Every structure is written in C-alpha cells, then in structure tokens.
Amino acid sequence: MSEEVTTAGWDAIDQAFTTLYGEQEPKHYGTLISYALGGQDPLDGISAYKSETPIPHWHFVTYGFSELYDKESNNQEYSGFGFELTFRLVCSDDEEEPPAWALNLLQNMARYVFNSGNVFVAGDYLDANGPICLGADTLLTALAFTNDPELAEMDTPNGKVAFVQMVGITEDELEAIQTWHTFGLLQAGIEQLPGYVTDLARPSLLQNPVVVEAVERGVEEDGSSTGFLFVDQLAWQEGKTGWFTKPSYIVQLGAKQAGVIRQLLRGRILKGRSLRLVGQQVTITFQANEQAGYHVNEQEVIISLNKAAVEELCQKLVPQEGQFELSSLAGVSFQILKTYIKDQEGTVVETIG
C-alpha cells in the first residue's frame, strides 16, 4: 500500500490568501502535464484573486517554487527554493478573467529559476529586454522584486516560504535601481505605485522631480547596492604590440550598458567598493586603489582605479561606438561596441551606439 501524498505546502499558501481574501474563490490555472514529465510549465498552478485595495487589481500567487507536497529536499530550513512569486496587476471593476500574458510571464520566471538554479529574493531586478507584455505599448521593460506588502514570510511543514512580489518597471527605473537600490526607488515612488501594483499604461516614476531628487540623494549618500552586473557584450582582448612595447589590452563593452556601468563606477568605486562585470567569457572586476593598474589571473581581470581614473573613465564612458585610453591607466584601452536589440524572431529592432 503506497503512502498518501500530503499537500501541506499547497495548503499553507491557500491559508495565507484565505486570511487576506476570506471565502473569495480565486481563478486558478493548473498545469496539465507536470514539468517533471516533460510539460512546458514548471509551476503546478497559479491563482488570481481580485483585490480592491489600494486600487482594483489582480493578485497572483504561484504554486511550485516551494515544496507543495511531501518534503523532498535536504534543506530543512527552507521549502524548495524558499519563495513563491506574487504579482499585482491593475484591472477594471468588470474584468472577470486575468490576462493570459501575466500567467505566461510567471511561468517564464519559473523556467528561468528551474533551468538556472538562480532564485529571486526581495531587492533583485531583471531586465526583460523588451515589453513585459509582448506586443504591448508599454514602457515597462524590466522587473523589480520586493516583499509582498501584505504577506509575511511563513513557516510551513516543509520549511520557510517568502512571498516575493514582482513589479513591472521602466528602463530608466531599472538604471536608477542599479545605481542605488530596489527598495529605495520603490519607496520613493510609492505614491505613484500604490501597493506596487503593475500598470502597463503608467509613465516612469522618474517623471516626478521628487523621485529624481530622492534617487540622486540616495546614490550620493548610499552609493550603489549593485556589486556585480551581467554584461552580454564584455571582452578582454590583447591589443597590437610591437617588438619593444609592453602588451596592451582592450576592454570591450556594449553601448547599451555603458551608461549604467558609468553610474555604477561612481556609486561603487568612489565609495570604496568593487564592481564585478560578468560576461560569457570573462569576468572583469573594478576596485578602488590609490594606484591605477591592472592584474590578470585565471579567474578574472582586476582593474584598479583611483579617483582620477574613475572620473576620467566616467567622462568618456558614453553609449557611442568608439575607443579611448585613460591617461592614468597605462596599458588598457576601452572600446564601446554597437548594441543590437533583437525581437523574439531575431530581427534587429533597435541599434544603440
């Protein structure tokens, strides 16, 4: 006789939402074929509740990042990945079904986590490199992650589970988060973003001078919380050398991220912190030092910058194709390459640089 499978993890999520929404019956979307059996969707299900506060919206919750049934992992403190995603999306009063794109977005987040092993925690961010709702006329092209304002971390029979809320953000908001931090920006814009409810039609928070001032003040006082950045276009190339010259090197960067890197260098190096750029083939770490220079080892390239080198690099690091050297850093030049933004079919839709 086989042992009965428990649903303790699933029931704990249901209970948390029953506390919020009472007897409301959610719209639930299950998965026909499980991911383990070759299905396309990693999550076992997604529920959507209708909420009226602080504005009318759908409140989504995932089932599947945590252990929903019997405990299987060896980690006794956390259930599965230790979290479930929530997502709040503005809706009209007469809307009876949540939009399918939101369900697809949550499943896409699950594919990323299940395939990479990288988990989401409050404070994280993710560049979607295009509208979070494909084909929509929206400025929201990235996601920030914060604590769901109404759901605390809970203890379940399978371990702890946090509710991490996904928030749609614009490109310039993403840059502000990278140069400061997620919680700072979201809190600064809370009046325009009540409950961190995503609205595809909203303008950037940075249209508000009060938010801009808060970001500028935060970067100046706190520096940047971004210690590392994944960079698609990143390379360390050996330059041309003659018989009697020392070897020279070229740092290659994509134009799309040149501006962000410039801001991060100010917010990190000038605060005595390091910045690690992680590419497909190389890792380059910038660190503060009284003497500018570089060192190459098997794992990474380390470039030391003093204040003068940071200022000069930030002045020249613009999203425009070109190459330059720093007077205070011998042996290394920087090359900015064009960035080509492509759609899902691989067609170039934008060229930067």
Side-chain angles (χ1 to χ4, degrees), residues 190-206:
I190 191 64
E191 289 188 13
Q192 295 156 258
L193 203 59
Y196 306 136
V197 175
T198 293
D199 181 355
L200 292 177
R202 76 168 177 85
S204 168
L205 299 175
L206 296 167

Side-chain angles (χ1 to χ4, degrees), residues 174-247:
L174 173 64
E175 289 191 13
I177 282 174
Q178 289 171 324
T179 54
W180 187 20
H181 58 74
T182 301
F183 303 125
L185 177 78
L186 293 181
Q187 186 56 45
I190 191 64
E191 289 188 13
Q192 295 156 258
L193 203 59
Y196 306 136
V197 175
T198 293
D199 181 355
L200 292 177
R202 76 168 177 85
S204 168
L205 299 175
L206 296 167
Q207 295 295 311
N208 183 341
V210 175
V211 176
V212 173
E213 184 182 344
V215 172
E216 290 175 348
R217 186 171 61 250
V219 172
E220 182 66 31
E221 293 176 357
D222 306 331
S224 171
S225 63
T226 302
F228 70 91
L229 187 70
F230 292 106
V231 182
D232 287 336
Q233 289 174 277
L234 180 68
W236 174 258
Q237 304 280 357
E238 190 162 348
K240 294 179 181 178
T241 56
W243 285 103
F244 304 106
T245 57
K246 293 181 180 179

Side-chain angles (χ1 to χ4, degrees), residues 236 247-251 293-294 303 324-326 329-334:
W236 174 258
S248 64
Y249 295 93
I250 303 169
V251 176
Y294 67 92
I303 298 178
F324 60 87
E325 297 177 351
L326 302 182
L329 181 63
V332 178
S333 61
F334 293 81

Side-chain angles (χ1 to χ4, degrees), residues 107-173:
Q107 289 286 6
N108 281 336
M109 294 300 102
R111 290 185 193 100
Y112 168 77
V113 172
F114 278 65
N115 292 335
S116 70
N118 297 326
V119 302
F120 293 118
V121 298
D124 284 349
Y125 52 81
L126 184 73
D127 190 349
N129 290 312
I132 61 170
C133 172
L134 288 176
D137 182 17
T138 179
L139 295 175
L140 306 185
T141 58
L143 296 162
F145 298 85
T146 189
N147 296 303
D148 188 295
E150 293 185 300
L151 294 160
E153 182 180 81
M154 65 179 182
D155 289 310
T156 78
N158 295 332
K160 293 178 181 178
V161 177
F163 290 101
V164 179
Q165 184 169 319
M166 200 165 67
V167 187
I169 57 173
T170 65
E171 184 177 4
D172 59 349
E173 289 165 2

Side-chain angles (χ1 to χ4, degrees), residues 41-113:
D41 297 328
L43 298 172
D44 285 31
I46 300 170
S47 283
Y49 293 80
K50 204 102 179 258
S51 177
E52 298 302 320
T53 55
I55 58 175
H57 67 274
W58 291 109
H59 191 183
F60 297 87
V61 61
T62 61
Y63 293 78
F65 291 105
S66 63
E67 291 169 284
L68 303 173
Y69 313 107
D70 293 323
K71 181 70 177 174
E72 294 182 357
S73 69
N74 295 324
N75 188 330
Q76 297 305 309
E77 185 176 2
Y78 293 99
S79 173
F81 289 111
F83 73 96
E84 292 291 350
L85 283 178
T86 68
F87 183 49
R88 296 174 187 261
L89 181 65
V90 70
C91 70
S92 57
D93 289 333
D94 58 354
E95 206 170 307
E96 295 184 3
E97 291 282 340
W101 72 262
L103 304 173
N104 292 333
L105 179 61
L106 288 163
Q107 289 286 6
N108 281 336
M109 294 300 102
R111 290 185 193 100
Y112 168 77
V113 172

Side-chain angles (χ1 to χ4, degrees), residues 295-312:
H295 173 70
V296 184
N297 60 37
E298 292 181 3
Q299 283 77 38
E300 62 184 332
V301 176
I302 299 173
I303 298 178
S304 298
L305 300 174
N306 54 23
K307 185 176 180 180
V310 172
E311 296 292 355
E312 187 179 2

